[in-house]
Amino acid sequence: MTQSQFSKPLIYMLIGSAIILALSLGVRHAFGLYLVPMSHEFGWGHNVFSLAIALQNLIWGAVQPITGAFADKYGSKVVVTVGGILYAIGLLLMSVSSTGFMLNVSVGLILGLALSATSFPVLLSAVGRAAPPEKRSLAMGIASAAGSFGQFIMLPSTLLLLQNIGWSAALIVSAILIAFIVPLAWMLKAPMYVAPNSQTTSSAPALSFKQILNIAKAHKPFWFLSLGFMVCGFQVVFIGIHLPGYLIDHGFDATTGTVFLALVGLFNIFGTYGAGWLGGKFSKPKLLMGLYALRGITIIAFLALPLSTWTIYSFGVIMGLLWLSTVPLTNGIVANMFGIRYLSMLSGIVFFTHQVGSFFGGWLGGVNHDMTGNYQAVWMISIALSVLGVLVHFFVDEKAVVHE
């Protein structure tokens, strides 16, 4: 593999990863559209659906290091295959969930487990292992950007399904689409990149999960990075799940919220690719500081300006550029710190903090709405967390701790 091009196995892996991410994240990105119709049909408060989504994010994050460890040991294709099967089962169960308990089992438990095997930490780690260091951030950005296209496509498609066949049948259609992840997983076969004239990492003795965790535990910049990723999780899940309901509260229809989320997905393509490209040329921690600062400014402007379709869609465009741009940069820093051999496991640990933030962003949004009839307090928390996201990355150093 030369510095100017990717190898054929890596290209196949990029294609497979992109389609899997498009399906997995595209279906998940549309979950916010189900909050209102399911809550209305069963007489739930917003907190019932919000709790299920919050549990999903917490379970997803809690098992992500374990899922990552399995991917490091047995290969990504095996883990993604199992995840695709669980994902389809979870959606089918969600389609018949008529109680909060059933929703927690299907959306919270099963889909949380499935997403840990079919989303960024496992797939970007597989791409990162197969790419040379100078192209790693770009390769992750390409996979993230192409995967983001699914978020753009699935939102209007899901809205059409909801309007024409109802929420339950829409979930069955989504389950059929998700089933394609299983054959696509077998495209994840590119070998680990080994620099010319260097010894393979596989010749070194394997470290246990506990040993790797101890190395990470002793490295403070790793935990500052993790804290920053928690901010990301809170903000994207709160906005992704609750903004459609927020707009309905202010007199807009479901189409407006769908267009907003579709714009987020569309411009997320450019944001994640651009972040991956910039991450190969500039300091990743400084880029992350800029991203979190821009998020805070954008949220303040959205709340301060009169609410209109123009401000809503502008907010979608800008937030889309900033939405998952943190992912290739954060994963790239982890790879630089610790190398690529245990990348899925270590990325999973960082991602757990992201999902802790996601839990509170999803859950507190519902609680705040049911208690006050608005989302004002959670918007203020999101702004304060942007400041935290800027500050913690002052202490993130991406220098290598474990050499590849």
Side-chain angles (χ1 to χ4, degrees), residues 200-391:
T200 66
T201 55
S202 60
S203 63
L207 299 177
S208 67
F209 181 91
K210 184 177 180 180
Q211 288 172 315
I212 288 294
L213 188 59
N214 285 336
I215 292 172
K217 185 178 178 181
H219 191 56
K220 288 183 180 179
F222 177 77
W223 297 106
F224 283 117
L225 179 69
S226 300
L227 186 58
F229 217 28
M230 183 190 71
V231 173
C232 177
F234 185 100
Q235 292 174 332
V236 299
V237 170
F238 166 61
I239 293 172
I241 295 299
H242 292 287
L243 196 83
Y246 173 82
L247 296 178
I248 289 172
D249 287 348
H250 286 79
F252 295 88
D253 58 19
T255 302
T256 307
T258 303
V259 172
F260 166 83
L261 292 175
L263 287 170
V264 168
L266 177 62
F267 283 88
N268 189 32
I269 298 169
F270 305 105
T272 49
Y273 177 82
W277 179 78
L278 290 169
K281 297 179 177 296
F282 302 102
S283 164
K284 296 180 188 66
K286 289 181 180 178
L287 289 170
L288 286 167
M289 289 169 60
L291 283 172
Y292 287 112
L294 288 171
R295 278 193 190 179
I297 293 168
T298 302
I299 293 171
I300 291 170
F302 175 67
L303 296 176
L305 292 170
L307 197 61
S308 67
T309 52
W310 188 89
T311 58
I312 292 165
Y313 295 157
S314 297
F315 185 51
V317 169
I318 299 171
M319 284 304 299
L321 292 171
L322 307 172
W323 194 251
L324 295 179
S325 302
T326 57
V327 174
L329 296 173
T330 301
N331 281 277
I333 291 173
V334 175
N336 288 349
M337 285 178 173
F338 300 104
I340 57 177
R341 188 173 185 184
Y342 304 99
L343 185 55
S344 295
M345 184 194 311
L346 290 163
S347 294
I349 294 170
V350 176
F351 190 72
F352 172 64
T353 60
H354 181 282
Q355 295 308 94
V356 171
S358 298
F359 172 86
F360 286 105
W363 177 60
L364 287 178
V367 171
N368 184 205
H369 185 274
D370 286 349
M371 290 180 66
T372 66
N374 61 58
Y375 294 102
Q376 193 65 24
V378 186
W379 281 120
M380 295 302 104
I381 293 171
S382 296
I383 294 168
L385 286 175
S386 287
V387 177
L388 178 65
V390 173
L391 294 176

Side-chain angles (χ1 to χ4, degrees), residues 73-90:
K73 186 173 183 179
Y74 299 109
S76 299
K77 64 182 181 181
V78 175
V79 169
V80 173
T81 298
V82 174
I85 294 169
L86 284 174
Y87 207 144
I89 292 171

Side-chain angles (χ1 to χ4, degrees), residues 128-215:
R129 279 191 292 269
E134 68 276 4
K135 295 290 184 181
R136 187 174 295 143
S137 182
L138 177 60
M140 288 179 173
I142 290 171
S144 301
S148 300
F149 186 68
Q151 299 180 27
F152 172 66
I153 292 295
M154 285 304 300
L155 280 155
S157 303
T158 301
L159 180 62
L160 286 173
L161 290 172
L162 287 168
Q163 291 173 339
N164 289 283
I165 63 176
W167 64 267
S168 182
L171 287 166
I172 294 172
V173 173
S174 296
I176 294 169
L177 290 173
I178 283 295
F180 284 100
I181 287 177
V182 175
L184 286 167
W186 295 90
M187 296 179 71
L188 309 177
K189 298 188 293 185
M192 182 184 295
Y193 174 80
V194 179
N197 304 318
S198 71
Q199 196 175 22
T200 66
T201 55
S202 60
S203 63
L207 299 177
S208 67
F209 181 91
K210 184 177 180 180
Q211 288 172 315
I212 288 294
L213 188 59
N214 285 336
I215 292 172

